[in-house]
């Protein structure tokens, strides 16, 4: 303003001098020329005028140069401010919402006036157009809802702190750590927003200073822009003050939440450490128990079963430790299980029956690992050795047996038998308890004219010869078995039977053999019987045959009507 005042005074003096120098007296239409002194004064004034004009021109160029310099600096600041897009966009959205509201208010007033005074068709068209525009602006207001109430309302509001969960089990430790990480991230984000706003305000202050300088050079052009920038700066500064106060309060709230979460985590870690020590002690005790069992139980099958029972008991104790550590109210758990047991029992009937079957098998001792058993499943018979007895099923390795040869024509399969089959299916144990032998038999048919007594004697001698070792073993095993069961018939010698059949005499030999190798002894005895029968002249092996009788006698032909018949 001072520069403009000085420039105005200087211009007024120059114009006054020009008027005095060019003064001409005109009388009766004839100009009067001044004297030489007046001419010199005129020249002096003209020179001063030129100098003043030159000075004014230079001052104007200087002012324009300064305006361009300030404008360039403003452009650079605008380029830097555009990077702070979050706050600028929020403020622009606020201004837009205010502008939309003002326009909507004007439109509503105009619509209200036209609704009462519209008479011509042009008024009606204007009313329809304004109504459509009102709907559009209303939808925009709904989209910008909240922006017109206060600028930066979303940016200056800190992130919501979720309710701090109670860390009641080890799995919630990860939830707590994740929540702590989220809290730290939210705090850093809010702090970053405040720092961005602080940098933006520094740039805006520089911008306001430049607008002040431009307004001093050209008040008319830059006064309105200066006022808008000052208003914008004031709003951003108020937002910064709000964020400064809010950040301190928000930080304290976050610290309280983090302290609560960390306490819960420490409590669970301490509880886990106690449980870990208890579990380690339990494992150590049961490990020593397994060593004792291994030392004093020499039978592999009994050792395997004892090992399984110890392992099951070990895990049961560990589960009980976990339950009593993490179930605050055991009676509440019992109530829940009581209500849920009915539905669970129906939905998981087969599982529960298998677990019950496992208990019967393990504690009843009917089947052990290594036993040879036969299972009837869905019309098929499977004979094999027990590999494992788990909580839900028995695992069998199918062997080559007479059943495999005569019926299945398959062997070597792994058969999984649910434990509940012990209640509903036929399961035969060939090696129950200490008994490792079974009765097997060979049948051979001889003709009716063969010496059947001699044949039975040969068969008996052969079977006695090859089954003698198994007979002695069985005799000892049956004596042990008497301690657990009532045995009436303990005859272990081979038994020979003969039966009359339509095509000959069947001789059957039954003998004791190893339950795991019945086919081998059957094959040996069968070939020996055949060889022995072939050496005898009065013994013939019978097999399906046919006999054809032909009568060779014929009568003399007779004549009939001179023809031989």
């Amino acid at each position: 303003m001072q520069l403009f005042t000085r420039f105005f005074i200087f211009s007024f003096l120059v114009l006054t001098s020009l008027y005095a120098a060019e003064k001409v007296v005109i009388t009766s239409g004839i100009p009067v020329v001044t004297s030489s002194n007046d001419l010199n004064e005129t020249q002096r004034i003209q020179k001063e005028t030129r100098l003043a004009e030159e000075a004014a021109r230079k001052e104007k160029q200087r002012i324009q140069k300064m305006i361009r310099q300030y404008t360039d600096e403003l452009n650079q600041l605008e380029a830097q401010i555009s990077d702070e897009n979050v706050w600028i966009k929020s403020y622009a959205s606020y201004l837009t919402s205010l502008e939309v509201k003002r326009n909507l208010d004007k439109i509503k007033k105009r619509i209200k006036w036209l609704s009462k005074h519209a008479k011509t068709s042009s008024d009606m068209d204007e009313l329809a157009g304004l109504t459509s525009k009102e709907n559009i602006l209303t939808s925009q207001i709904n989209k910008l809802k909240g922006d017109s109430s206060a600028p930066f309302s979303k940016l200056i509001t800190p992130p919501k702190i979720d309710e701090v969960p109670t860390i009641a089990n080890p799995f919630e430790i990860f939830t707590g750590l994740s929540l702590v990480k989220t809290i730290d991230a939210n705090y850093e984000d809010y702090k970053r927003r405040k720092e961005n706003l602080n940098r933006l305000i520094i740039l805006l202050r520089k911008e306001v200073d430049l607008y002040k300088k431009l307004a001093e050079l050209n008040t008319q052009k830059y006064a309105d822009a200066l006022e808008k920038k000052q208003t914008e700066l004031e709003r951003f500064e108020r937002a910064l003050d709000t964020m400064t106060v809010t950040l301190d309060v928000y930080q304290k709230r976050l610290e309280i939440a983090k302290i609560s979460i960390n306490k819960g985590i420490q409590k669970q870690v301490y509880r886990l450490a106690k449980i870990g020590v208890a579990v380690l002690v339990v494992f150590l005790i049961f490990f020593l128990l397994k060593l004792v069992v291994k030392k004093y139980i020499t039978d592999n099958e009994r050792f395997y079963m004892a090992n399984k029972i110890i392992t099951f008991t070990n895990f049961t104790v560990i589960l009980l430790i976990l339950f009593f550590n993490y179930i605050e109210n055991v009676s509440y758990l019992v109530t829940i299980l009581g209500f849920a047991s009915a539905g669970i029992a129906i939905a998981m009937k087969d599982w529960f029956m298998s677990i019950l079957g496992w208990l019967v098998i393990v504690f009843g001792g009917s089947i052990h690992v290594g036993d040879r058993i036969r299972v009837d499943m869905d019309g098929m018979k499977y004979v094999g050795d027990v590999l494992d007895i788990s909580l839900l099923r028995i695992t069998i390795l199918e062997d080559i047996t007479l059943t495999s040869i005569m019926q299945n024509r398959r062997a070597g399969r792994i058969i999984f038998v649910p434990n509940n089959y012990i209640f509903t299916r036929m399961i035969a144990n060939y090696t129950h308890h200490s008994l490792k032998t079974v009765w097997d038999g060979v049948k051979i048919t001889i003709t009716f004219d063969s010496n059947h007594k001699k044949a039975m004697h040969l068969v008996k001698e052969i079977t006695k010869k090859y089954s003698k070792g198994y007979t002695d073993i069985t005799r000892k095993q049956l004596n042990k078995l008497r301690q657990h069961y009532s045995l009436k018939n303990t005859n272990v010698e081979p038994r020979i039977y003969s039966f009359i059949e339509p095509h000959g005499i069947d001789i059957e030999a039954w003998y004791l053999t190893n339950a795991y190798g019945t086919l081998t002894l059957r094959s040996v005895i069968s070939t020996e019987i055949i060889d022995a029968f072939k050496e005898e002249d009065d013994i013939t092996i019978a097999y399906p045959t046919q006999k054809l009788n032909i009568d060779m006698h014929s009568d003399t032909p007779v004549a009939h009507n001179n023809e031989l018949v």
Side-chain angles (χ1 to χ4, degrees):
M1 294 298 294
Q2 293 177 357
L3 290 173
F4 277 102
T5 303
R6 290 197 297 269
F7 180 77
F8 178 78
I9 295 171
F10 182 78
S11 300
F12 178 77
L13 293 174
V14 170
L15 291 174
T16 305
S17 300
L18 288 173
Y19 178 77
E22 294 177 1
K23 184 178 181 184
V24 179
V25 181
I26 301 174
T27 306
S28 302
I30 302 173
V32 179
V33 182
T34 61
S35 63
S36 59
N37 291 330
D38 294 335
L39 183 60
N40 292 333
E41 182 66 20
T42 301
Q43 290 176 351
R44 185 183 62 79
I45 293 172
Q46 289 177 351
K47 183 177 180 181
E48 290 179 354
T49 301
R50 285 195 300 273
L51 291 174
E53 289 177 350
E54 182 67 22
R57 186 179 61 80
K58 289 182 179 180
E59 181 67 18
K60 185 177 180 181
Q61 290 178 351
R62 188 183 67 82
I63 292 172
Q64 291 177 350
K65 183 178 179 181
M66 292 180 66
I67 290 175
R68 285 195 299 271
Q69 180 182 349
Y70 294 153
T71 304
D72 291 340
E73 292 180 7
L74 277 175
N75 291 334
Q76 293 177 2
L77 287 174
E78 288 291 341
Q80 295 179 24
I81 290 173
S82 64
D83 294 336
E84 315 292 339
N85 52 13
V86 176
W87 293 97
I88 295 299
K89 284 183 179 180
S90 178
Y91 186 70
S93 176
Y94 167 71
L95 295 179
T96 302
S97 63
L98 291 180
E99 184 66 23
V100 171
K101 261 195 158 183
R102 284 194 291 267
N103 292 336
L104 185 60
D105 292 339
K106 291 179 182 178
I107 289 172
K108 286 181 178 179
K109 290 180 181 178
R110 180 63 178 168
I111 290 174
K112 185 177 181 181
W113 187 89
L114 287 175
S115 300
K116 295 180 179 179
H117 302 89
K119 295 179 180 179
T120 63
S121 59
S122 61
D123 291 341
M124 298 301 294
D125 291 340
E126 183 183 0
L127 179 61
L130 289 175
T131 303
S132 176
K133 192 172 182 181
E134 180 190 13
N135 295 332
I136 295 173
L137 292 178
T138 302
S139 66
Q140 291 182 357
I141 285 290
N142 293 331
K143 292 178 181 179
L144 296 172
K145 189 176 181 181
D147 293 335
S148 59
S149 58
F152 327 121
S153 58
K154 293 182 179 179
L155 291 175
I156 63 178
T157 303
K160 182 180 178 182
I161 301 177
D162 296 330
E163 184 178 355
V164 178
T166 303
I167 311 298
N169 57 67
F171 299 104
E172 292 179 354
I173 292 177
F174 301 101
T175 304
L177 293 174
S178 176
L179 186 57
V180 169
K181 188 176 181 181
T182 303
I183 287 174
D184 291 337
N186 289 339
Y187 174 74
E188 291 298 327
D189 180 65
Y190 191 69
K191 187 178 178 182
R192 212 164 24 246
R193 272 189 263 166
K194 178 178 175 292
E195 293 172 353
N196 291 339
L197 178 58
N198 195 18
R199 288 195 296 269
L200 177 61
I201 288 175
I202 293 173
L203 295 176
L204 288 176
R205 286 172 180 168
K206 292 180 181 178
E207 199 173 26
V208 168
D209 291 340
L210 290 175
Y211 271 110
K212 286 181 179 179
K213 293 177 181 179
L214 287 172
E216 289 178 356
L217 297 175
N218 191 344
T219 305
Q220 184 177 3
K221 183 176 181 182
Y222 293 102
D224 293 340
L226 174 61
E227 183 179 358
K228 290 181 180 179
K229 283 294 176 181
Q230 286 177 335
T231 303
E232 182 179 354
L233 177 60
E234 290 174 359
R235 287 172 174 166
F236 278 109
E237 286 177 341
R238 283 199 297 270
L240 181 61
D241 294 337
T242 304
M243 287 194 74
T244 302
V245 176
T246 305
L247 184 62
D248 294 336
V249 178
Y250 185 61
Q251 184 178 5
K252 290 180 174 59
R253 291 176 60 197
L254 292 182
E255 288 175 355
I256 294 172
K258 288 172 65 176
I259 289 172
S260 177
I261 294 171
N262 289 330
K263 282 185 177 179
I265 292 174
Q266 289 175 1
K267 181 180 178 182
Q268 291 304 317
V269 170
Y270 178 68
R271 180 179 287 182
L272 275 177
K274 291 195 300 182
I275 293 173
V277 172
V279 170
L280 186 61
V281 171
V282 170
F283 268 119
L284 182 60
I285 292 172
F286 280 95
F287 176 74
L288 295 175
L289 186 59
K290 285 185 178 182
L291 291 180
V292 172
V293 168
K294 185 176 182 180
K295 183 177 180 180
Y296 291 101
I297 298 179
T298 56
D299 185 38
N300 290 332
E301 296 174 4
R302 291 185 178 181
F303 170 73
Y304 178 85
M305 189 56 63
N307 191 40
K308 293 279 286 188
I309 293 173
I310 291 172
T311 303
F312 177 75
T313 308
N314 186 11
F315 282 104
T316 302
V317 172
I318 292 173
L319 287 177
L320 290 175
I321 291 173
L322 294 175
F323 267 118
F324 283 104
N325 271 278
Y326 287 104
I327 301 300
E328 301 294 338
N329 191 346
V330 178
S331 61
Y332 179 67
L333 174 66
V334 172
T335 303
I336 293 176
L337 292 177
F339 281 108
S341 59
I344 295 174
I346 295 173
M348 304 177 69
K349 180 184 68 175
D350 292 338
W351 280 26
F352 280 114
M353 292 296 291
S354 292
I355 295 173
L356 183 60
W358 179 81
L359 293 173
V360 171
I361 293 170
V362 170
F363 294 103
S366 56
I367 300 174
H368 298 87
V369 173
D371 285 351
R372 169 152 295 192
I373 64 173
R374 190 192 79 181
V375 182
D376 294 349
M377 297 172 58
D378 301 325
M380 297 291 292
K381 294 181 177 61
Y382 302 97
V383 178
D385 302 329
V386 177
L387 299 178
D388 182 49
I389 302 174
S390 64
L391 196 63
L392 298 177
R393 59 177 177 257
I394 303 170
T395 305
I396 302 173
L397 174 61
E398 187 182 24
D399 197 3
I400 300 175
T401 61
L402 189 63
T403 303
S404 304
I405 295 172
M406 303 300 294
Q407 297 183 20
N408 297 342
R409 302 303 301 172
R410 292 288 186 277
R413 294 173 290 187
I414 302 295
I415 310 298
F416 299 99
V417 182
N419 290 338
N420 58 20
Y421 274 30
I422 197 170
F423 303 116
T424 58
R425 299 290 194 278
M426 167 62 185
I427 299 180
N429 192 342
Y430 294 105
T431 56
H432 177 60
H433 210 266
S434 59
L435 197 63
K436 303 298 180 184
T437 55
V438 293
W439 286 94
D440 193 22
V442 174
K443 181 178 74 171
I444 189 167
T445 305
I446 60 175
T447 59
F448 288 109
D449 54 358
S450 299
N451 188 347
H452 63 278
K453 291 183 178 181
K454 185 178 182 180
M456 292 176 66
H457 176 73
L458 291 174
V459 170
K460 186 173 183 178
E461 292 299 321
I462 292 172
T463 53
K464 285 177 67 176
K465 175 183 176 182
Y466 289 98
S467 66
K468 185 177 186 307
Y470 300 113
T471 301
D472 296 337
I473 292 172
T474 306
R475 187 179 288 108
K476 296 177 182 179
Q477 291 173 347
L478 288 177
N479 290 330
K480 292 181 180 179
L481 204 61
R482 284 178 181 275
Q483 301 173 7
H484 304 280
Y485 300 98
S486 175
L487 296 177
K488 294 182 179 179
N489 187 3
T490 58
N491 182 18
V492 293
E493 296 298 328
R495 302 174 190 180
I496 311 300
Y497 304 98
S498 61
F499 303 97
I500 299 175
E501 297 295 338
H503 52 273
I505 300 173
D506 284 347
I507 298 177
E508 292 198 10
W510 288 86
Y511 51 89
L512 288 165
T513 181
N514 185 4
Y516 299 97
T518 55
L519 290 180
T520 302
L521 189 57
R522 172 189 280 256
S523 176
V524 172
I525 292 175
S526 298
T527 55
E528 288 293 327
I529 290 174
I530 292 173
D531 292 340
F533 283 3
K534 284 184 177 180
E535 292 178 356
E536 303 297 331
D537 295 334
D538 54 351
I539 300 175
T540 304
I541 299 173
Y543 49 88
T545 58
Q546 290 182 346
K547 182 180 288 187
L548 181 62
N549 295 320
I550 301 176
D551 187 3
M552 301 301 294
H553 176 73
S554 62
D555 298 331
T556 302
V558 296
H560 179 71
N561 295 331
N562 298 323
E563 293 182 0
L564 293 176
V565 180

